[in-house]
Amino acid sequence: MSKRNIANPSPLGLCGFALTTFLLSAINMETMGVTHPSIVIAAAFAYGGLVQLLAGMWLMSIGNTFGATSLSSFGGFWIAVAIILTPGGFEIEASYDSLEFQHAFSLFLFGWFIFTTILLMCTFSSSVAHCSIFLTLDIAFLCLALGRRYPHLSGTVYVPHENLTYVGGVFGMLSAFAAWYNALAGIAASNHTFFTLPVLQFPWSEASRKTRQRALAASNARSQV
C-alpha cells in the first residue's frame, strides 16, 4: 500500500489571515480615502474566517497543535469581527452608546492582545519569519485596543483614536505581509519550485539543532573516507 501524501494546510490559513488583515489594516490607515470597514465583512466571513478555520482543523488532524490553535482561533476572530461589523443584522454596535461601544471593543481587542502574546512566546523556538507575524500582530492589537480605549469625540459620537489606529494599521500591514511571506516559503518548499525563501531559524531552535547534527555527521563521514 503506497504512503498517502497530505498537503500542508498552513499556507492556506496564512493566506486567509494575510488578505483579511491587509484589508482591515489598509482601512485603518485610511488608504485611498477608505475609512469604513464594510468591505472587510465578506473577507472576514469567507476567507479569513471560514477558510482559516478549516485550515486550522486540518492542521489538528496532522498533529500540529500550535498551527491548529492559532489558525482556528484567528479564523474565529475574523468571524467575530464580521459579526460585530455587520450593519443591522446583529445590532451589536447599536446596543451600546458610542463611548461604551468603543470601550467594549477595546476589551475584545485586549483579549486578543493577550492571546497573541501567548502565541508569540511559543514562536521564540521557531524562526524569525514565523515570529515576525505574531510580534507585529501583537503590537497591532495593542495599538488598536488603546485606540478604542481612548477614543475622541467627533461631532456627537466617539470614534477610535486616529493616531493609535493608524499605527495599529501599519503593524497590521506588516503582519499581513509577514504571513504572506511565510505562506510563500511553505508553498515553495513543498512544491520543489525553482527557489526557496529563507525563514532564518533561531540558533536555539529544533530545526537549527538538527541542521547542525546533520552537518556534523557529514563532516565525520568525510573525515573517515
Side-chain angles (χ1 to χ4, degrees):
M1 183 175 179
S2 60
K3 182 180 178 181
R4 183 180 178 184
N5 292 323
I6 300 176
N8 179 11
S10 292
L12 174 63
L14 288 169
C15 287
F17 168 83
L19 185 136
T20 317
T21 303
F22 168 84
L23 273 178
L24 185 56
S25 298
I27 293 169
N28 285 334
M29 296 166 64
E30 299 187 5
T31 305
M32 298 173 64
V34 180
T35 59
H36 200 278
S38 293
I39 193 64
V40 177
I41 296 172
F45 270 128
Y47 198 31
L50 177 61
V51 170
Q52 192 175 183
L53 179 62
L54 288 172
M57 292 296 99
W58 291 326
L59 280 169
M60 186 173 292
S61 70
I62 61 175
N64 187 331
T65 303
F66 179 88
T69 302
S70 58
L71 292 184
S72 299
S73 294
F74 285 118
F77 165 79
W78 283 117
I79 294 173
V81 168
I83 290 172
I84 293 170
L85 295 179
T86 298
F90 297 92
E91 297 185 347
I92 292 176
E93 184 173 358
S95 66
Y96 295 97
D97 63 53
S98 63
L99 179 60
E100 188 180 10
F101 173 72
Q102 298 302 332
H103 288 168
F105 210 152
S106 174
L107 290 174
F108 176 79
L109 293 171
F110 272 125
W112 284 98
F113 164 71
I114 294 169
F115 173 70
T116 306
T117 301
I118 293 170
L119 294 180
L120 173 62
M121 290 188 291
C122 296
T123 65
F124 292 149
S125 61
S126 59
S127 67
V128 174
H130 194 206
C131 181
S132 65
I133 301 174
F134 296 92
L135 177 61
T136 50
L137 181 63
D138 209 27
I139 298 172
F141 272 131
L142 179 60
C143 291
L144 295 174
L146 290 173
R148 299 278 183 171
R149 174 63 182 86
Y150 300 105
H152 63 82
L153 193 61
S154 176
T156 59
V157 298
Y158 283 90
V159 296
H161 191 284
E162 184 176 353
N163 292 337
L164 285 169
T165 300
Y166 182 86
V167 174
V170 171
F171 278 97
M173 190 68 73
L174 292 173
S175 183
F177 278 98
W180 267 322
Y181 182 92
N182 279 267
L184 178 56
I187 295 170
S190 62
N191 282 353
H192 306 290
T193 56
F194 292 109
F195 66 92
T196 57
L197 296 177
V199 295
L200 302 178
Q201 299 288 344
F202 287 119
W204 52 84
S205 69
E206 180 69 14
S208 291
R209 185 181 66 81
K210 289 180 178 180
T211 299
R212 290 194 297 270
Q213 288 178 341
R214 287 194 295 268
L216 180 60
S219 177
N220 291 337
R222 287 193 299 270
S223 64
Q224 293 173 3
V225 174

